[in-house]
Amino acid sequence: MIAQSQLYGLMAEWDNPDDLLYAAQQASTEGFRHMDAYTPFPVEGLPEAVGCRPTRLPFLVLCGGLFGGVGGFFMQYYANVHAYPLNVGGRPFNSWPAFVPITFELTILCAALTAVFGMLIANGLPMPYHPVFNAPHFERASRNRFFLCIEATDPHFDRSKTRQFLENLRPQSVSEVPC
Amino acid sequence: MTTATPAQRLLTRSQRTALTVGVAGALASIVGAFFNPDQFFRSYLIALLFWLGIALGSLGLLMIYHLVGGTWGFILRRILEAATLTLPLLALVWLPLALGYQHIYPWATAGALAGAEAAHRRTYLSFPFWFGRAVAYWLIWSVIAYVLNRLSRLQDQAATPVPTARLVRLSPPGLILLVLTVSFAWIDWVMSLEPDWYSTIFGFIALVGHGMAALCFALIVVLLLIDREPFATLLGDKPSRLNDLGNLLLTFVMLWAYTSFSQFLIIWYGNLQRETVWYRHRMAGAWEYVALALIVLHFFVPFLLLLSRSIKRRPQILLGLAAGLLLMHLIDIWWQVLPAFHPTGLSLHWQDIVAPIALGGLWLAASLWLIQRRPLLAQRDPHAPQLVAYAGAEPAT
C-alpha cells in the first residue's frame, strides 16, 4: 500500500466507451473536478463530462495567422515598393494581386506552426514521465480499454470513499496509481 | 398513408407557398416575354443557371458522400437526392432556351466569329453541335440522378449490401463525368456569351459554386426542420454535427474564393487584351461594386464568421449564413452573366429578379414534393449514426 502523499489518483477501467462516459458524468455530478479520461479514440461528450475547458489555443492560432498574413504582405510590399522597386511589364510596384498567394501561404504556415508548438507547450510535451503509465495495463488505453482517473489533488478525493464510488460504477478494475 | 408528421406538415405548407410564388412569377415573366423577348430569354438563362446549379451540386455532393461517408451526408442525403431528381424536369425547362438561343448568344448571329483564328470556334459554336452536346449533358445528368436514386431505394428495401457496393463503385466514374459535363456545359452556356474569351478554370469555379449552393439549400431545409423529428433527434443535442456542416460550408466558401482568385490572378498577371476583357467588363460602370460586394460578402464575412465554433453550433445563425450565401451565389451569377449583355455599365432588369424567383418557386415546389415521397432519413445506410431509432420512424416497407 502506497502512502497517501505518494498517490497520484485512482484509475478505473471499462471495456466500452458508453460505460466510461456514464462514469465520467456520474463523477462530474458527484463533484469531482480533477479527473481525466484515456480512450483509444475520441468519445463524443467525454471532454464535456470530464470538464475540459476551451483553451486559448484557437486565439493564439488566429494571432499567428494574422501575423503571418500581415507580415507576408508587408515583406513583399517593402521589397517591391521601397527596397528594390523594379518595373515588371509596366505593372505598379504595389502589385497586390501577385502578393496574395505568398500572403496566403504565410498565413497558413504561421497559423499551423503556432498550432503545433502552442499545443506542445500548453500540453507540456514532450513529457518523459507521467504517473498514469504506472497503472496496470494502461497501454491498452490505445487499444481497447477506457480509463477514468480521479486524481488525488481533487478536494473531494478520499482514498476509500472514492474507490467505493468507482467500484459502484461497475468497472473492470480499480487500481491505485502511484506518483 | 399515416397521419402527417410535423416535418411533413411544414414541407407541404412550404411546397404550396412555393408553387403560388412560382406560378405568379411565371405569369409575370410570360407577360415580360411579350414586351421584351430578348430580356426574357436572358433572365430565363440566369434563373436556369441558378437552380440547375443546386441540382448539379447535389449530384456532386451525393457521389462524394457515397465515396467518403460521414454523418454530414446521412443528414443531408434525402434532400440532395430529391434535388437531383429535378434534373429531368430542368431539361424540359431548358428547351425554350434552345429555341431562343439567338436572343442570348452573340455567336448565333451570322459573321459574329469572323477571321481565320476563329475557325474552330465557328464549328464548336454552331447550333447543331451546341444543341447535340446539351442533349448529351442532360442525358448524362438524368441518368446519374436516376441511378443514384434507384440504388438508394434498393438500399432502403434490401438487406443485401449489393446496392451500397454499387453506389460506392459507380460514384468515382460518375464524379469524373459530372466534372467534365458541367465544365463543358458552362463553356457552352455561360462562357460563350463572350465567345472570344476563354478560361480553363471557368467550369471548375462554376462547379464549386454549385456544390456550395446545394449545401446551402440542403442546410436550409434541415435547419428549418431542426425542431421536428427526425432532425430534432439527429441534431438536437449533437452540436458537433452542426459544427461539421458549418465546416463543410467554410470549405466551399474558401474553395470558391481560391478558384475565383486563381482565375483573376492569372489573367491579371498575363495582362493580355483578349483575356482581360472579361474582367474589364465586370470592373467598370458600377459592376466593380458588385465585384467588391462578392469579395466581402461571398468570402470575407462568411469566412470569418464560420471560423468561430460557437457560430457554427447555432442553428439560427447557420441558417442565416446559408441563406445569405445562396443570395450571394445568385449575385455571382448576375455578375458573371449580365455584363456580357451590358458591358458599359450596371444594369438589372426587373425580369432578372422575377425569373429566378419564378423558376425557384416551381423548382422548390417540385423538390419539396419529391422530399416527401420518401422517409426523411435513409433506412439502411451503412454510414448512419447509431441513434436512428427516433419516434415516428417508419418501418421499411
Side-chain angles (χ1 to χ4, degrees):
Chain A
M1 188 117 176
I2 42 177
Q4 174 87 38
S5 61
Q6 284 177 332
L7 189 65
Y8 175 76
L10 283 167
M11 180 78 86
E13 65 171 295
W14 288 266
D15 61 359
N16 69 79
D18 298 330
D19 286 347
L20 170 69
L21 184 59
Y22 175 75
Q25 283 160 348
Q26 288 302 308
S28 180
T29 327
E30 190 74 9
F32 291 110
R33 290 295 171 265
H34 296 201
M35 57 177 164
D36 212 341
Y38 307 89
T39 59
F41 51 81
V43 176
E44 208 173 326
L46 193 58
E48 291 76 15
V50 296
C52 278
R53 309 206 154 276
T55 66
R56 284 162 300 169
L57 197 57
F59 178 72
L60 281 179
V61 174
L62 180 69
C63 291
L66 286 175
F67 170 78
V70 173
F73 189 88
F74 276 96
M75 177 182 78
Q76 299 171 83
Y77 180 84
Y78 176 77
N80 284 292
V81 179
H82 294 288
Y84 202 79
L86 202 62
N87 185 335
V88 183
R91 289 183 191 83
F93 292 134
N94 179 23
S95 288
W96 65 266
F99 299 166
V100 168
I102 290 171
T103 306
F104 173 73
E105 299 298 346
L106 279 170
T107 308
I108 305 296
L109 179 69
C110 289
L113 288 177
T114 315
V116 172
F117 288 104
M119 179 271 291
L120 288 179
I121 292 167
N123 278 343
L125 291 172
M127 190 184 287
Y129 175 78
H130 194 283
V132 288
F133 289 94
N134 296 332
H137 40 87
F138 184 70
E139 70 282 356
R140 294 183 77 177
S142 63
R143 270 185 283 149
N144 55 0
R145 281 290 190 276
F146 301 83
F147 291 86
L148 180 71
C149 182
I150 296 182
E151 289 152 26
T153 51
D154 195 285
H156 288 310
F157 187 85
D158 177 283
R159 203 168 192 166
S160 53
K161 280 187 193 158
T162 305
R163 176 180 267 278
Q164 193 53 50
F165 168 75
L166 285 170
E167 297 280 6
N168 288 342
L169 293 165
R170 302 189 172 280
Q172 307 282 104
S173 72
V174 178
S175 48
E176 295 194 333
V177 183
C179 278
Chain B
M1 183 89 193
T2 50
T3 49
T5 63
Q8 281 169 337
R9 278 203 293 276
L10 181 66
L11 287 171
T12 316
R13 220 166 47 226
S14 315
Q15 182 196 329
R16 246 178 252 140
T17 316
L19 190 64
T20 317
V21 171
V23 169
L27 289 175
S29 289
I30 290 166
V31 172
F34 283 105
F35 290 106
N36 193 343
D38 275 5
Q39 185 58 51
F40 170 79
F41 283 109
R42 291 165 181 185
S43 304
Y44 197 101
L45 173 71
I46 288 169
L48 180 82
L49 292 175
F50 182 78
W51 296 102
L52 170 62
I54 295 181
L56 290 173
S58 303
L59 217 49
L61 287 181
L62 264 183
M63 287 191 280
I64 291 175
Y65 168 63
H66 290 311
L67 265 181
V68 302
T71 308
W72 65 272
F74 177 74
I75 298 167
L76 305 177
R77 181 170 172 181
R78 275 303 149 76
I79 297 152
L80 298 174
E81 283 173 345
T84 61
L85 274 182
T86 62
L87 279 165
L89 297 174
L90 284 167
L92 296 178
V93 172
W94 174 83
L95 271 180
L97 262 190
L99 299 176
Y101 81 108
Q102 280 162 321
H103 294 279
I104 305 171
Y105 296 104
W107 48 262
T109 26
L113 291 169
E117 88 279 1
H120 295 302
R121 258 174 288 161
R122 270 199 299 275
T123 323
Y124 188 78
L125 292 174
S126 65
F127 180 73
F129 193 18
W130 180 85
F131 186 82
R133 282 195 306 273
V135 171
Y137 307 146
W138 287 111
L139 272 177
I140 291 170
W141 296 336
S142 303
V143 166
I144 297 178
Y146 173 77
V147 170
L148 287 180
N149 279 279
R150 171 95 193 119
L151 287 172
S152 167
R153 273 177 191 280
L154 287 176
Q155 190 186 40
D156 269 10
Q157 291 160 6
T160 69
V162 176
T164 310
R166 282 217 180 120
L167 282 171
V168 174
R169 213 174 45 240
L170 290 176
S171 287
L175 275 169
I176 293 170
L177 261 181
L178 183 74
V179 172
L180 287 174
T181 48
V182 171
S183 286
F184 277 100
W186 252 249
I187 290 170
D188 287 4
W189 300 343
V190 188
M191 210 158 97
S192 77
L193 289 167
E194 282 155 287
D196 292 323
W197 180 80
Y198 51 85
S199 156
T200 46
I201 203 177
F202 193 77
F204 192 71
I205 297 175
L207 206 60
V208 171
H210 300 162
M212 191 202 72
L215 181 62
C216 286
F217 166 69
L219 260 180
I220 289 172
V221 176
V222 166
L223 291 172
L224 286 175
L225 294 172
I226 197 166
D227 293 328
R228 297 165 168 84
E229 294 298 345
F231 296 113
T233 312
L234 206 53
L235 291 167
D237 60 339
K238 298 279 184 199
S240 64
R241 291 185 179 151
L242 277 182
N243 202 91
D244 291 347
L245 292 168
N247 278 334
L248 211 54
L249 193 56
L250 176 64
T251 311
F252 273 110
V253 167
M254 288 170 71
L255 199 57
W256 174 85
Y258 191 94
T259 49
S260 301
F261 181 76
S262 300
Q263 175 178 282
F264 174 77
L265 178 64
I266 287 166
I267 288 175
W268 180 87
Y269 214 85
N271 206 14
L272 298 171
Q273 185 94 15
R274 66 163 203 284
E275 290 181 352
T276 54
V277 62
W278 196 82
Y279 281 105
R280 273 188 282 121
H281 288 164
R282 282 155 187 81
M283 288 167 71
W287 281 118
E288 67 268 31
Y289 299 111
V290 181
L292 205 62
L294 281 173
I295 294 169
V296 175
L297 296 173
H298 199 311
F299 176 63
F300 278 104
V301 170
F303 170 74
L304 291 173
L305 288 176
L306 283 168
L307 282 180
S308 152
R309 171 189 278 236
S310 62
I311 282 181
K312 276 179 286 204
R313 292 178 180 224
R314 276 189 215 139
Q316 292 310 317
I317 300 184
L318 207 53
L319 178 65
L321 266 173
L325 276 170
L326 215 46
L327 177 66
M328 290 319 292
H329 182 60
L330 178 62
I331 294 176
D332 187 22
I333 291 175
W334 278 340
W335 180 75
Q336 291 195 32
V337 172
L338 288 174
F341 306 128
H342 317 282
T344 48
L346 182 74
S347 163
L348 186 68
H349 196 267
W350 65 267
Q351 290 201 54
D352 294 330
I353 299 167
V354 169
I357 295 175
L359 183 58
L362 298 174
W363 186 85
L364 278 175
S367 306
L368 294 173
W369 183 79
L370 285 163
I371 290 174
Q372 295 172 72
R373 293 303 94 193
R374 301 174 66 189
L376 283 168
L377 293 181
Q379 309 291 301
R380 288 199 174 87
D381 192 325
H383 304 299
Q386 283 172 343
L387 56 89
V388 201
Y390 59 92
E394 292 172 36
T397 45

